[in-house]
Amino acid sequence: MQEVRAGKREQILDVAGVNVIEKGFAATSIEEIIVEVGITKSGFFYHFSDKNELAKALLQRYIDMEEDIFRDIETRAYELNDDPLHGFLISLKLLAELAEDLPNGHPGCLIASYCYQSQLFSADIRDLNAQALMAWRMRFQRQLEKIAKTYPPRMEVDLADVADMLSAVADGGIILSRVMHDKSILPRQVMLYREFIKALFITH
Amino acid sequence: MQEVRAGKREQILDVAGVNVIEKGFAATSIEEIIVEVGITKSGFFYHFSDKNELAKALLQRYIDMEEDIFRDIETRAYELNDDPLHGFLISLKLLAELAEDLPNGHPGCLIASYCYQSQLFSADIRDLNAQALMAWRMRFQRQLEKIAKTYPPRMEVDLADVADMLSAVADGGIILSRVMHDKSILPRQVMLYREFIKALFITH
DNA sequence: TGTTTTACTGTACCCTCGGTACAGTTGACT
DNA sequence: AGTCAACTGTACCGAGGGTACAGTAAAACA
């Protein structure tokens, strides 16, 4: 078997993942993927019936990875401080540090990337994308509502919007970092969002 | 002359602009553009030496249009209230209303779209993109510093970050709106940023 | 009025890429 | 020994980006 290391399917996803984030899905040719992996075109189509299947697998893997990251951060944060507000503030600090430690900055958000190429993909991929953002909203909103029980919000805001704002600031921060070639922007934006959370829940 | 209405060059940019925002640059074929405009391939290459030139013209036009919109909003806002803080808050309200009134939601930010396809473009296009974001930062930062003179900030924040946050929230809000099929997200995010500005500068 | 320029059209061609089809091969497992 | 998973090899199709270059109709200029 040619499966020298870790299976070609995973290697295809690795290579495709990097290239899609770099130049977009349409501009990532199957040709360049198979060359980089060291595989034939037949090999590629053995694993994925068409390019759309690759896109779906890529997105699913990305969503699962992000889910893992958020779950880990949340777990660690509430281990350090089980108060809902301070746990959340620690989560945000950990998130900012994670972004800061990436050597070349955040590589990019696949959901944002797909968003601007959505017409290329089938409806189920667009649904997957929407579900992922909805899951993030739920995750953050749940924590915010827990906070609000002990710390009544000092402004009249919809906590779903506040939850969405973290996704927005993160996706926007990634774009700013990439375009302006300044990887510090993303972690700074996360920390600024953290200031907003403090202003929203803490009385001074 | 076949120039029945408004010049083919502008029509090419109109059609390409819509399609690029919808499905990305690489996925927008010259073929479909010329069919929609009613022109031949030769006609296309008469106006643009290659696809990269189209991308550049498209981006430049987009940046100029956004510049006009921001300038108009700023002018109108400070006509209504010449206090720096309240003028800025009115700007944000006007911006949110503008986003709300778009029948199909915001079509998308070309800068964000290009960001995830940057490897397709020449260095001067990437520079143009970075300059545009820098111009937005300067525009907002200038206003924030004016505010800070009369209203000392109630948190320790870098005003350049606060300025960037508007770009981030806007770009992120557009992505969330598009992916989640909810055009209200973008205006709500802008209004939430407005709450942050109030919390940052107003003492209660 | 003649000439030049602008804004295209028409034709023909090359290369890359996504995708299809299908037969063959190789190593692991049963 | 036979089956199956994971490929390779070959051959081909159509769409799309891009090139090259000759021709043309109308407007602008001199």
Side-chain angles (χ1 to χ4, degrees):
Chain A
M1 213 184 267
Q2 287 77 358
E3 191 188 347
V4 183
R5 23 160 290 190
K8 298 294 184 187
R9 196 190 139 94
E10 279 304 306
Q11 284 185 55
I12 291 171
L13 288 172
D14 288 342
V15 170
V18 172
N19 290 6
V20 167
I21 280 291
E22 276 296 311
K23 19 182 233 184
F25 187 76
T28 300
S29 71
I30 294 176
E31 199 65 33
E32 70 190 59
I33 296 172
I34 64 177
V35 168
E36 211 171 327
V37 172
I39 208 180
T40 61
K41 200 182 250 191
S42 314
F44 175 89
F45 284 104
Y46 171 75
H47 289 295
F48 304 99
S49 63
D50 57 17
K51 230 187 157 190
N52 194 71
E53 281 301 309
L54 173 68
K56 203 196 290 184
L58 222 45
L59 182 58
Q60 189 61 63
R61 203 178 70 144
Y62 177 80
I63 291 171
D64 292 346
M65 280 169 57
E66 289 289 308
E67 171 69 19
D68 285 351
I69 291 172
F70 279 124
R71 198 174 350 90
D72 284 0
I73 282 184
E74 216 178 303
T75 308
R76 280 183 51 204
Y78 290 103
E79 272 169 19
L80 292 168
N81 192 328
D82 62 355
D83 175 77
L85 174 58
H86 291 97
F88 190 58
L89 291 176
I90 292 172
S91 293
L92 292 173
K93 184 76 170 64
L94 291 175
L95 204 64
E97 279 172 4
L98 205 73
E100 206 159 16
D101 290 345
L102 292 167
N104 301 316
H106 195 290
C109 172
L110 204 60
I111 291 171
S113 171
Y114 277 25
C115 161
Y116 282 109
Q117 301 166 47
S118 54
Q119 296 307 312
L120 294 177
F121 307 122
S122 59
D124 54 340
I125 289 187
R126 291 199 291 271
D127 288 349
L128 204 60
N129 233 3
Q131 278 165 34
L133 285 186
M134 186 57 85
W136 292 4
R137 173 191 284 175
M138 292 308 183
R139 167 180 291 277
F140 303 139
Q141 194 180 345
R142 181 169 36 78
Q143 297 178 65
L144 290 168
E145 270 160 6
K146 226 173 181 176
I147 296 171
K149 276 183 191 161
T150 350
Y151 303 85
R154 307 187 63 247
M155 315 168 203
E156 259 190 51
V157 291
D158 186 332
L159 292 182
D161 289 341
V162 180
D164 279 351
M165 197 187 205
L166 180 50
S167 302
V169 161
D171 268 340
I174 290 169
I175 290 171
L176 291 186
S177 273
R178 273 180 67 132
V179 173
M180 298 177 91
H181 309 290
D182 178 357
K183 67 169 201 139
S184 77
I185 294 178
L186 173 59
R188 290 156 81 94
Q189 287 299 314
V190 173
M191 289 307 281
L192 198 53
Y193 174 80
R194 189 170 176 273
E195 285 300 311
F196 175 54
I197 295 296
K198 279 163 67 181
L200 177 56
F201 292 113
I202 298 179
T203 325
H204 350 245
Chain B
M1 215 184 269
Q2 287 77 359
E3 190 189 350
V4 183
R5 25 159 290 191
K8 297 294 184 186
R9 197 192 139 93
E10 280 304 306
Q11 283 185 57
I12 292 171
L13 288 172
D14 288 341
V15 170
V18 171
N19 291 6
V20 167
I21 281 291
E22 277 296 310
K23 17 184 233 183
F25 188 75
T28 300
S29 72
I30 294 177
E31 199 63 33
E32 69 191 61
I33 295 172
I34 64 178
V35 167
E36 212 170 325
V37 172
I39 208 180
T40 61
K41 201 182 250 193
S42 312
F44 176 88
F45 283 105
Y46 171 75
H47 289 294
F48 304 99
S49 62
D50 57 18
K51 230 187 158 191
N52 192 71
E53 281 300 310
L54 172 67
K56 203 195 291 183
L58 222 47
L59 182 59
Q60 189 61 63
R61 204 178 69 144
Y62 177 80
I63 292 171
D64 292 345
M65 280 169 56
E66 289 289 306
E67 170 70 18
D68 286 351
I69 290 171
F70 279 124
R71 199 176 345 92
D72 285 0
I73 283 183
E74 215 177 304
T75 307
R76 279 182 52 204
Y78 289 104
E79 270 169 20
L80 293 168
N81 193 327
D82 63 354
D83 174 76
L85 175 57
H86 291 96
F88 190 58
L89 291 176
I90 292 172
S91 293
L92 292 173
K93 186 75 171 68
L94 291 175
L95 205 62
E97 280 172 4
L98 205 71
E100 207 158 15
D101 291 345
L102 293 168
N104 302 316
H106 194 291
C109 173
L110 204 60
I111 290 171
S113 171
Y114 277 25
C115 161
Y116 281 108
Q117 301 166 46
S118 55
Q119 296 307 314
L120 294 176
F121 307 123
S122 59
D124 53 341
I125 289 186
R126 292 198 291 270
D127 288 350
L128 206 59
N129 234 3
Q131 279 164 33
L133 285 186
M134 187 56 87
W136 292 2
R137 173 191 283 175
M138 292 307 182
R139 169 179 290 277
F140 304 138
Q141 193 179 348
R142 181 168 36 77
Q143 297 178 63
L144 290 167
E145 271 160 4
K146 225 173 181 175
I147 295 170
K149 276 183 191 162
T150 349
Y151 303 85
R154 306 186 62 247
M155 314 168 205
E156 258 191 50
V157 292
D158 186 331
L159 293 182
D161 289 341
V162 180
D164 279 351
M165 198 187 204
L166 180 51
S167 302
V169 161
D171 268 340
I174 291 170
I175 291 171
L176 292 185
S177 274
R178 273 179 68 132
V179 173
M180 299 178 90
H181 308 292
D182 178 357
K183 68 171 202 138
S184 77
I185 295 177
L186 173 60
R188 290 156 80 93
Q189 286 301 315
V190 173
M191 289 307 282
L192 197 55
Y193 175 81
R194 190 169 174 274
E195 285 300 311
F196 176 54
I197 295 297
K198 279 163 68 181
L200 178 56
F201 292 113
I202 296 180
T203 324
H204 349 246

